[in-house]
Amino acid sequence: MENLKQIAKQVRRNILEMVAAGKSGHPGGSLSAVEILTALYFHEMNIDPKDPRKKDRDRFILSKGHATPVLYGVLAERGFFPREEIKGFRKINSLLQGHPDMKNIPGVDMSSGSLGQGLSVANGMAIAGKLDNIPYYVYVLLGDGEIQEGQVWEAAMTAAHYKLDNVIAFLDYNGLQIDGDVEDVMGVTPIDKKWEAFNWHVQVIDGHNYDEILTAIEKAKNTKGKPSIIIAKTVKGKGVSFMENKAEWHGTAPNEEQLQQALKELE
Amino acid sequence: MTKIATRDAYGKALVQLGRENKDIVVLDADLSKSTKTASFYKEFPERFFNVGIAEADLMGTAAGLATAGKIPFASTFAIFATGRAYDQIRNSIAYPKLNVKIAATHAGLTVGEDGATHQALEDIALMRAIPNMTVIVPADGPETEGAIKAAAEINGPVYIRLGRSAVPVINDENYNFQIGKGVTLKEGNDVTIVATGIMVSQSLAAAEMLEKEGISVEVINIHTIKPIDKELLVKSAEKTGAVVTAEEHNIFGGLGSAVCEVLAQHRPVPVEFVGVEDTFGESGTPDALLQKYRLTPENIVEKVKKVMKRK
């Protein structure tokens, strides 16, 4: 657990350095998902950085694709590509595209960026796993603003209809989207009851607490016959005092001074 | 002349394909009886997935299946496939170059009575503007069967445009379909008619009428709009010096535009267009619609005479 906390700190540093280097990107919703992704990539998932496409691997889809700094930050730490690549984030002729690109970036299981599409893809992967009798899990991270997209609910129906218990979704419930509070822009509550009504197994946890995250994953894995969603209450901008709970850090890069201040907080 | 709807040929080809390759999976959005994927469902229920009336989810689910090595055929009406799910096709299928085959039926005016909301007249334009996408418009039953088989053999996204109404069979069962290779159905020297889909048989009828007037017509079937057969088009334009394109689609962005992109660069010649002239359709029988929207052999003859005056 201590180890995971150390890794989380480094991933946060990666996120900030990446976004600062690219002078562009989405730190807020990346920082809120750090514990979820580190728990998955460093504890839970059956993956191999030396064989990123192995057939029986667990999959992860970052449906809220703009939070790609957290995915790249984790993949770099996990050894899928050299950490130096983060300096090229969002720059011309570089590996790390502004949103996840499965064609070129090792470890990225699905391209994403246009919101609302990841859960459908997760269902397709999960169906394939069942057809081939390969017992992998498909994890997908949704944003709380993202679930305003209608396709998410189409996919929610499909996952339940086909009893895709190998789909485990996380909802990064940080409460903020670009234009402000999710509840002001377009209310999504009650989130848990919505997913329950769509016949999903639902858990609500603290998305920064590793005990709760890992326990929730175990419970999700033990749930048979229905897909699972783990609604993770998080703080947008988590770990950087001046970014926490501020919608304006959704898609703004820190300047050099802000970067140094943030990195200091993460020593 | 025997008539078969290309969607019927699709249903048949799909079952055959399913028998040969267990990685073929089929998805539909509550239209399986119309798109004819129901025949696949009947034989392979475990490899058929109905997602309900949810086209965006249809394309996304197909994308996910493709990431894991399946060869999904996703079917619905062309208007919903390309309109409703354009973003999913672009971002979740074509950008990552996933091996999804979109077999869209009920394209064009010949949907008939359902009217304008259901008549896709811009789907070729939408699909061919997406990088990595192959776009195929079969002219008849045998060509559809060949196209479905060929689409399954290449790796990458393919859009196959199919129709609701029965159309004349112009190819025999030994027809050898090759993606990207146009077919010269009739050689001639005065003018080239380049047609796709149901307009291929209309063009052959037009050519017959023109021959009677002493005009020597070359008829080319461009079943693959993308990648288009540049070589064949340029060679024919060089020979005849005038081209008429014919398609059951808006004249903006479809076959006519694709042909002109090639000719403008490599062999500029006068071109006239037979197609829907930037308008929506309406309810009516397929034949009445083809008449009203000027997609008949007579309309092709008229455009041939017009283009020949411009030579």
Side-chain angles (χ1 to χ4, degrees):
Chain A
M1 213 67 83
E2 263 321 295
N3 188 30
L4 282 175
K5 284 178 186 163
Q6 279 309 313
I7 294 165
K9 212 174 248 187
Q10 182 57 47
V11 169
R12 286 200 160 86
R13 296 174 65 92
N14 289 354
I15 290 169
L16 293 159
E17 284 175 6
M18 199 178 318
V19 176
K23 296 189 171 62
S24 160
H26 299 79
S30 297
L31 291 165
S32 61
V34 169
E35 279 75 19
I36 297 168
L37 266 79
T38 46
L40 287 173
Y41 278 89
F42 285 87
H43 188 275
E44 202 57 50
M45 286 167 67
N46 167 24
I47 43 166
D48 180 1
K50 290 192 190 68
D51 187 9
R53 299 250 183 234
K54 69 171 184 154
K55 215 172 155 70
D56 71 339
R57 73 189 186 280
D58 291 327
R59 273 85 169 158
F60 175 79
I61 300 170
L62 186 68
S63 193
K64 45 173 278 187
H66 56 273
T68 200
V70 66
L71 178 59
Y72 297 161
V74 166
L75 291 175
E77 284 313 297
R78 194 70 174 76
F80 281 90
F81 49 78
R83 193 192 280 169
E84 291 73 61
E85 290 289 349
I86 69 177
K87 295 191 185 105
F89 179 57
R90 292 191 163 220
K91 289 180 182 159
I92 194 83
N93 296 328
S94 65
L95 178 70
L96 301 183
Q97 295 300 298
H99 290 83
D101 166 19
M102 70 177 285
K103 283 300 282 178
N104 298 302
I105 306 172
V108 174
D109 287 318
M110 182 62 201
S111 302
S112 58
S114 183
L115 290 173
Q117 301 190 18
L119 191 53
S120 299
V121 178
N123 291 342
M125 291 178 178
I127 291 169
K130 287 190 180 280
L131 283 173
D132 291 340
N133 279 317
I134 306 178
Y136 58 74
Y137 285 90
V138 185
Y139 297 94
V140 55
L141 182 71
L142 301 161
D144 49 0
E146 183 185 13
I147 62 172
Q148 292 159 353
E149 290 278 7
Q151 188 186 349
V152 172
W153 301 101
E154 296 180 5
M157 279 187 269
T158 298
H161 181 80
Y162 286 104
K163 302 182 169 39
L164 301 178
D165 49 17
N166 47 351
V167 168
I168 300 177
F170 277 92
L171 188 107
D172 184 4
Y173 191 9
N174 61 38
L176 295 170
Q177 60 189 112
I178 299 180
D179 274 351
D181 284 14
V182 172
E183 286 311 295
D184 290 339
V185 176
M186 177 51 64
V188 295
T189 54
I191 298 179
D192 52 349
K193 290 196 175 68
K194 280 194 175 72
W195 289 91
E196 273 163 23
F198 277 73
N199 294 324
W200 281 59
H201 176 255
V202 180
Q203 300 176 76
V204 181
I205 63 161
D206 173 353
H208 299 300
N209 180 313
Y210 282 115
D211 280 332
E212 293 192 26
I213 294 170
L214 297 175
T215 307
I217 294 172
E218 277 322 297
K219 277 191 191 154
K221 284 183 162 181
N222 289 327
T223 301
K224 298 299 168 200
K226 52 162 75 176
S228 270
I229 185 160
I230 299 166
I231 298 168
K233 289 185 179 165
T234 58
V235 173
K236 196 151 182 159
K238 175 76 176 178
V240 179
S241 60
F242 58 92
M243 289 185 178
E244 287 190 358
N245 285 318
K246 297 252 169 40
E248 50 271 38
W249 285 103
H250 172 89
T252 312
N255 61 29
E256 185 55 31
E257 191 187 333
Q258 289 164 331
L259 173 66
Q260 291 313 323
Q261 190 188 332
L263 291 178
K264 206 174 216 176
E265 292 182 19
L266 292 164
E267 271 169 10
Chain B
M1 193 180 259
T2 319
K3 283 183 152 193
I4 305 173
T6 51
R7 61 175 168 144
D8 283 315
Y10 166 54
K12 190 178 143 201
L14 211 46
V15 172
Q16 189 56 39
L17 211 53
R19 288 178 191 149
E20 290 162 12
N21 187 341
K22 68 172 180 46
D23 283 330
I24 302 286
V25 293
V26 176
L27 299 94
D28 207 301
D30 193 41
L31 290 170
S32 65
K33 290 187 185 76
S34 300
T35 63
K36 303 297 173 186
T37 60
S39 46
F40 185 94
Y41 170 64
K42 212 173 152 196
E43 189 157 336
F44 308 105
E46 71 289 353
R47 282 193 267 150
F48 177 88
F49 303 94
N50 201 330
V51 298
I53 308 164
E55 293 78 15
D57 189 46
L58 172 76
M59 297 305 169
T61 309
L65 280 154
T67 66
K70 299 295 167 196
I71 307 172
F73 277 76
S75 284
T76 177
F77 291 180
I79 194 79
F80 309 130
T82 63
R84 194 102 193 198
Y86 176 79
D87 185 27
Q88 286 72 20
I89 294 174
R90 183 191 185 275
N91 283 316
S92 284
I93 294 174
Y95 174 49
K97 209 179 174 196
L98 291 173
N99 199 19
V100 175
K101 317 304 168 184
I102 301 154
T105 65
H106 294 65
L109 283 177
T110 50
V111 165
E113 293 79 354
D114 276 344
T117 55
H118 284 51
Q119 294 161 349
L121 295 172
E122 54 287 310
D123 55 318
I124 297 174
L126 287 165
M127 291 300 104
R128 82 182 186 90
I130 303 177
N132 293 337
M133 186 64 81
T134 296
V135 180
I136 301 175
V137 185
D140 69 354
E143 191 162 274
T144 301
E145 291 180 40
I148 297 303
K149 200 163 179 283
E153 280 165 9
I154 63 165
N155 186 23
V158 181
Y159 177 71
I160 305 150
R161 184 191 212 228
L162 304 167
R164 171 183 177 232
S165 307
V167 291
V169 173
I170 54 171
N171 296 295
D172 64 30
E173 55 198 30
N174 299 319
Y175 174 59
N176 176 25
F177 178 89
Q178 281 181 285
I179 290 176
K181 284 269 173 244
V183 183
T184 306
L185 291 168
K186 192 186 151 320
E187 292 191 21
N189 298 310
D190 299 332
V191 65
T192 306
I193 303 174
V194 180
T196 196
I198 67 159
M199 295 308 286
V200 174
S201 60
Q202 305 281 68
S203 298
L204 287 170
E208 221 168 276
M209 292 158 72
L210 287 159
E211 295 283 340
K212 282 183 188 145
E213 297 183 36
I215 299 168
S216 168
V217 184
E218 184 141 298
V219 179
I220 293 177
N221 169 16
I222 289 292
H223 51 65
T224 308
I225 311 274
K226 186 186 177 186
I228 202 161
D229 192 339
K230 283 183 196 160
E231 204 184 323
L232 185 66
L233 291 172
V234 171
K235 216 170 73 185
S236 185
E238 245 161 37
K239 180 167 74 167
T240 65
V243 171
V244 171
T245 62
E247 61 194 308
E248 190 197 7
H249 185 272
N250 195 328
I251 55 167
F252 296 156
L255 172 73
S257 301
V259 168
C260 285
E261 286 158 18
V262 172
L263 297 182
Q265 262 196 308
H266 302 286
R267 185 70 199 189
V269 298
V271 179
E272 290 289 335
F273 308 94
V274 174
V276 178
E277 303 205 355
D278 198 29
T279 181
F280 291 104
E282 64 183 82
S283 291
T285 64
D287 281 341
L289 287 160
L290 293 177
Q291 290 280 344
K292 178 162 180 179
Y293 291 85
R294 306 180 61 75
L295 298 176
T296 64
E298 289 76 12
N299 301 131
I300 299 170
V301 166
E302 198 184 305
K303 290 285 166 79
V304 163
K305 290 181 177 169
K306 192 172 172 197
V307 83
M308 285 182 62
K309 283 190 193 137
R310 293 175 54 204
K311 271 172 91 167

